Amino acid sequence: MAGLELVIGNKAWSSWSLRPWLVLKAAGVPFTETLVALRQPNTRAEALKHAPSGHVPVLKHDGLAIWDSLAICEYLAETFPQAQLWPADKAARARARSVSAEMHSGFGPLRAAMSMDVKARHPTPPMTPELAANIARVQELWNQCRREFGAKTGKPFLFGAFTIADAMYAPVGTRFVTYGVKLDDVSTAYVKSIVELPAMKEWTAAA
Ligand SMILES: N[C@@H](CCC(=O)N[C@@H](CS)C(=O)NCC(=O)O)C(=O)O
């Protein structure tokens, strides 16, 4: 099997790159990184050298280019089944896919008002009704996943052990830290688990 190469954006800002990067770390497989510098005049041209979407992340493996964070995560789950990147239980897996897709396709106001900036600390942005609703919904779904699945396992992540769902929400956790958003107790503990993950620390240190 040819090596894995993940094409990513700057670690400070590229929340979409962070997600599959964490999943590769969770899978424990070696991979190389290629940087496309974001916010440059030639960013799109450089990204287009790797995939036709013109965006990062892109995973290159066995002659394939796979783009879009969630598609990459699904490919990794399929390629490395022993890593259990989705929960083993069918109901938990369905919920993990639901909340991952909800993150991938939604939360526009939160993403716009609080862009990822892992090392920085910024003032909490003005609380529009749309932003407040996004923050409330994230906490609601984290609480539901912890209550119905994760907490029962005695492990700290949404479904117990770290899965793709946690990778999808990791940059939301770091945003809440960066922008000083006050959270309920369950969400505070969950964010702490994300931030203290060795792979998350490694990404942040490299940012
Ligand atoms: N839906 C895509 C979003 C990818 C995306 O927007 N990537 C940003 C970096 S985080 C990017 O490529 N920005 C450069 C550009 O749009 O020129 C995914 O999930 O991977």
Side-chain angles (χ1 to χ4, degrees):
M1 203 184 273
L4 292 147
E5 176 189 357
L6 188 67
V7 185
I8 60 173
N10 305 55
K11 285 182 170 151
W13 308 317
S14 189
S15 62
W16 295 115
S17 301
L18 169 60
R19 293 168 167 114
W21 189 93
L22 286 176
V23 171
L24 276 162
K25 290 284 176 180
V29 292
F31 63 100
T32 59
E33 294 175 24
T34 300
L35 175 72
V36 168
L38 299 176
R39 306 182 187 177
Q40 301 296 319
N42 64 345
T43 295
R44 186 170 165 77
E46 287 301 311
L48 281 169
K49 291 180 183 169
H50 301 284
S53 63
H55 294 298
V56 290
V58 180
L59 180 73
K60 296 183 177 179
H61 186 224
D62 272 348
L64 288 172
I66 304 119
W67 61 89
D68 207 290
S69 56
L70 196 48
I72 296 170
C73 292
E74 288 286 6
Y75 178 83
L76 292 171
E78 224 175 276
T79 307
F80 303 105
Q82 71 285 1
Q84 299 213 325
L85 297 171
W86 287 118
D89 173 71
K90 186 176 176 184
R93 192 163 61 249
R95 179 71 67 81
R97 283 202 163 105
S98 294
V99 298
S100 296
E102 185 176 347
M103 175 70 246
H104 190 250
S105 62
F107 297 108
L110 189 156
R111 295 211 308 260
M114 305 197 303
S115 64
M116 190 174 93
D117 199 353
V118 272
K119 280 196 137 159
R121 295 295 176 267
H122 296 301
T124 312
M127 212 37 69
T128 62
E130 295 78 11
L131 178 58
N134 276 186
I135 293 170
R137 173 62 193 143
V138 168
Q139 292 183 84
E140 178 185 54
L141 77 85
W142 283 354
N143 273 264
Q144 283 171 343
C145 292
R146 285 292 301 153
R147 189 171 56 246
E148 293 174 38
F149 301 99
K152 291 176 181 165
T153 69
K155 294 180 182 154
F157 296 104
L158 294 177
F159 297 88
F162 186 90
T163 68
I164 289 168
D166 301 296
M168 293 307 291
Y169 281 93
V172 179
T174 71
R175 281 169 161 105
F176 287 159
V177 175
T178 296
Y179 294 89
V181 176
K182 180 124 184 54
L183 303 172
D184 63 53
D185 290 350
V186 169
S187 302
T188 300
Y190 176 61
V191 169
K192 190 166 182 286
S193 302
I194 291 286
V195 170
E196 289 181 354
L197 198 65
M200 192 64 235
K201 284 186 176 167
E202 186 185 332
W203 173 280
T204 305

